[in-house]
Amino acid sequence: NIRNTNSTTGNFSALTFGSASDGTTAFIGAKNLNHSSFFGDLYIATRGANNSYSNKAVWHDTEFVSNEDSINYDFRVESDSEANMFLVEAGNDRIFIAGGPDSYDANKLNIRGSNVVPGSTNGNVGIYSTDNMTSGVGGSLTFGGRYTTSGTYYMFGGIQAVKKNATSGNSAGTM
């Protein structure tokens, strides 16, 4: 247990793990935010040779933040068979799903998967409507950009696939 018994706001309790030859130290810490030892932020961070801190991950009351200090640290989640099931590449501001970067990736979002025959039940990306089953509803993908000098965004076009009829069990659709 790491317990902060000092009720001063901003008091910091930490569990430190060793020191590397370059002077960096890894630690897990808790910062008291409101005069109580039960509330606050949890930090996983390193302290460099110049005594500056770099937050790798922070759990606030309502959010989890990785790379809060905007340093070139990637965030990666593995699955059973994919080392980069979800990868945020910090240095290039890109996201990869089911694979890591290679020299051809310039998109902000990159999704990889094996070939899927059109009409099968699974694909590389699924976009579904949550509306009740009826004719004319389905998933859509929109494209847009800024359309005013003040920077307001607008949808310029899109792709939509919808159910052709309201018959339950009939999967006929149109795009």
Side-chain angles (χ1 to χ4, degrees), residues 99-162:
D102 64 32
S103 59
Y104 297 104
D105 296 316
N107 300 309
K108 291 288 184 184
L109 175 62
N110 300 275
I111 301 172
R112 301 225 168 90
S114 59
N115 184 47
V116 178
V117 178
S120 66
T121 57
N122 295 314
N124 290 333
V125 176
I127 301 173
Y128 298 91
S129 170
T130 58
D131 294 324
N132 290 327
M133 189 277 311
T134 189
S135 177
V137 298
S140 62
L141 179 63
T142 61
F143 303 91
R146 295 176 194 246
Y147 82 107
T148 66
T149 55
S150 64
T152 304
Y153 286 94
Y154 187 76
M155 181 188 79
F156 300 137
I159 300 169
Q160 183 178 28
V162 298

Side-chain angles (χ1 to χ4, degrees), residues 2 4-5 9 13-14 17-18 34 47 51 66 69 94 111 165:
I2 301 174
N4 179 2
T5 57
T9 299
S13 299
F17 300 94
N34 63 355
R47 183 174 62 199
N51 222 22
S66 175
D69 294 337
R94 300 183 297 189
I111 301 172
N165 56 62

